[in-house]
Amino acid sequence: MRTQLLAGLLTLTVFAGCSVDPDKSARVAEDDQVPFRLLDRAAPPIVSTTEPPGGGEPVTLYFVREGRLVPIERELDEGVTPQDVVAALAAPPTGEGVPARTALSDPLVVRDIAVVAGIARVDLAQSIAELGGGDQLLAVAQIVCTLTARPGVGQVAFTLEGSPIEVPRGDGSLVAHPVSRDDYTILFTS
């Protein structure tokens, strides 16, 4: 009993020492006091296309420029689904100052997308194998970065006609688990 009482007092003392004074207010930390590189940019700035606004829903799509990913904002019709967003990757931007291409020229490569608990589950068609190795990596990166730019999606898992598959990360390594935008930051434009 005495040991339990001492353990309880020790626990209270530790928690009391870690508490924050409720009368203190929040303050803005200086840049050099922010830990873990939290101020680093995780993605390049978004380039807006020259298409006129049409009252649709703005979405960020990732395209390829000189072997790197570049985010480009477009407006799609209201009520955009994950399938709509990925299908929009088949049409690279046009207009001056936005030279970009897509590695995913055939939107039928993506058979189905279901978002469950923050993970977009993307089922690919066998035609993904027709893409060259570099374009396979870029196509996967385009899909991942575009889907994770949507609210409620943090990771993407891939299957090939219903069977789980490995996909390349930005560094070229293959993984069988869900991937996120962080796996492709090496491909972002500088």
Side-chain angles (χ1 to χ4, degrees):
M1 176 73 171
R2 185 174 195 171
T3 305
Q4 290 174 336
L5 182 60
L6 286 174
L9 286 174
L10 180 61
T11 302
L12 278 173
T13 303
V14 169
F15 283 128
C18 294
S19 68
V20 176
D21 185 356
D23 294 332
K24 299 268 181 171
S25 61
R27 65 177 176 82
V28 176
E30 297 297 323
D31 287 357
D32 63 344
Q33 294 175 333
V34 178
F36 309 114
R37 300 177 58 187
L38 291 175
L39 294 177
D40 288 356
R41 296 184 72 145
I46 295 173
V47 176
S48 199
T49 62
T50 56
E51 298 172 13
E57 182 176 334
V59 296
T60 302
L61 305 170
Y62 282 79
F63 289 98
V64 179
R65 181 185 298 147
E66 298 175 2
R68 301 283 194 190
L69 294 180
V70 58
I72 296 179
E73 190 171 292
R74 277 204 185 142
E75 280 193 12
L76 299 181
D77 292 336
E78 291 292 328
V80 176
T81 66
Q83 288 84 351
D84 296 333
V85 174
V86 170
L89 290 174
T94 58
E96 295 202 25
V98 191
R101 70 176 188 89
T102 183
L104 191 68
S105 58
D106 180 9
L108 298 178
V109 166
V110 177
R111 293 177 36 171
D112 188 41
I113 303 172
V115 179
V116 178
I119 299 175
R121 302 194 181 281
V122 176
D123 188 39
L124 299 174
Q126 191 65 41
S127 59
I128 189 75
E130 295 171 12
L131 296 176
D135 272 352
Q136 279 183 3
L137 167 62
L138 291 169
V140 167
Q142 280 186 266
I143 293 168
V144 171
C145 292
T146 296
L147 288 174
T148 57
R150 303 290 299 152
V153 178
Q155 294 181 308
V156 181
F158 289 88
T159 56
L160 180 64
E161 297 186 355
S163 298
I165 58 168
E166 292 182 324
V167 293
R169 294 178 356 164
D171 63 5
S173 64
L174 295 175
V175 294
H177 56 74
V179 289
S180 71
R181 174 191 314 262
D182 292 342
D183 291 302
Y184 301 95
T185 55
I186 194 170
L187 297 176
F188 289 159
T189 57
S190 321

